[in-house]
Amino acid sequence: MLKIRGARRFEKSRFFPYSSKCLSTFKYYALVGLGSNISNEKKIFNILFRKLMDEKRFRVVSTSPCLVNKAFGYEAQKDFTNAVMLIQTNLHARAFLKVLLYYELKFKRKRIFKNAPRTLDLDLLYFSQKVKQDISCMVPHNGVKERISVILPLGLL
C-alpha cells in the first residue's frame, strides 16, 4: 500500500462522499476545503452540509470522503480531518468567501494563532477559472497545490 507522509486514513460519513446527479443553472463553481480538529469533526461537516443544502444562494454538487491527517504548522495538536466540496453559486468570489467566513463564525471558529486548533476551517480553494489576488480574497488559495489535505480528497471527488 502506498504511504503518503502525514496522511492517516480516509473515513466516510453520512454526506462525505456525496454526489448530486442534477446540476443547477448557477454561474460559477467553487471548490471549498473543509478542516477541523476540535470536537466531532465528521458531525460538524455533516451539519455544515445540511445548512449549505438549505441555502438558496448555492448548490452542493459533490463532496469527498474525509481525510484524517497529521496536523501541520503547529504540530502539538490533534490530527485534522479534511474534505473538499464542489459548490455551484451565482455569488462572486469575494461574496462567496464572506459566506464561508460567516459559517466559520457560526461554528465558533476562534483564530487564536496561526494553525491553531479549530472547530471549522473553510477555504476557498478555486473559483471557476478565476484568479484573484487581493488582501481579502486569494484565488487559487495559497499553497493549495502542495497540501495533501486538498490533493488526496480532491482525487476522490
Side-chain angles (χ1 to χ4, degrees):
M1 173 179 257
L2 177 66
K3 290 200 175 212
I4 297 175
R5 190 176 62 213
R8 306 274 196 239
R9 66 191 171 279
F10 277 104
E11 295 180 350
K12 294 181 178 183
S13 71
R14 183 165 186 188
F15 302 113
F16 291 84
Y18 165 84
S19 183
S20 174
K21 300 213 184 329
C22 60
L23 298 177
S24 65
T25 57
F26 289 122
K27 193 173 179 180
Y28 302 111
Y29 283 91
L31 187 65
V32 178
L34 290 74
S36 177
N37 72 337
I38 295 178
S39 191
N40 185 338
E41 297 87 357
K42 289 190 293 186
K43 182 178 179 182
I44 289 169
F45 288 2
N46 288 334
I47 293 168
L48 174 70
F49 178 90
R50 286 178 167 230
K51 288 186 179 297
L52 295 179
M53 289 299 277
D54 289 341
E55 278 273 357
K56 304 272 188 262
R57 297 175 285 184
F58 32 81
R59 171 144 177 80
V60 177
V61 176
S62 61
T63 65
S64 72
C66 298
L67 171 69
V68 178
N69 58 288
K70 183 179 168 203
F72 60 91
Y74 174 65
E75 294 182 8
Q77 60 182 320
K78 182 179 169 192
D79 287 346
F80 274 93
T81 300
N82 295 96
V84 293
M85 187 180 269
L86 183 63
I87 296 174
Q88 287 182 289
T89 185
N90 280 330
L91 297 175
H92 292 281
R94 187 176 290 122
F96 185 76
L97 183 60
K98 283 184 181 180
V99 173
L100 296 181
L101 294 173
Y102 165 78
Y103 277 106
E104 283 186 355
L105 288 174
K106 283 202 64 106
F107 282 85
K108 297 180 173 71
R109 162 97 191 255
K110 292 182 176 58
R111 296 176 188 269
I112 302 166
F113 56 88
K114 186 174 174 73
N115 297 320
R118 59 206 70 167
T119 53
L120 183 63
D121 180 28
L122 298 172
D123 294 327
L124 180 55
L125 303 174
Y126 292 101
F127 194 83
S128 283
Q129 295 180 351
K130 307 287 184 196
V131 174
K132 188 166 197 58
Q133 302 291 329
D134 65 31
I135 295 170
S136 62
C137 184
M138 292 184 70
V139 177
H141 192 276
N142 192 22
V144 71
K145 293 178 182 175
E146 294 85 36
R147 294 185 183 176
I148 62 163
S149 60
V150 173
I151 296 167
L152 292 179
L154 188 55
L156 298 174
L157 191 59

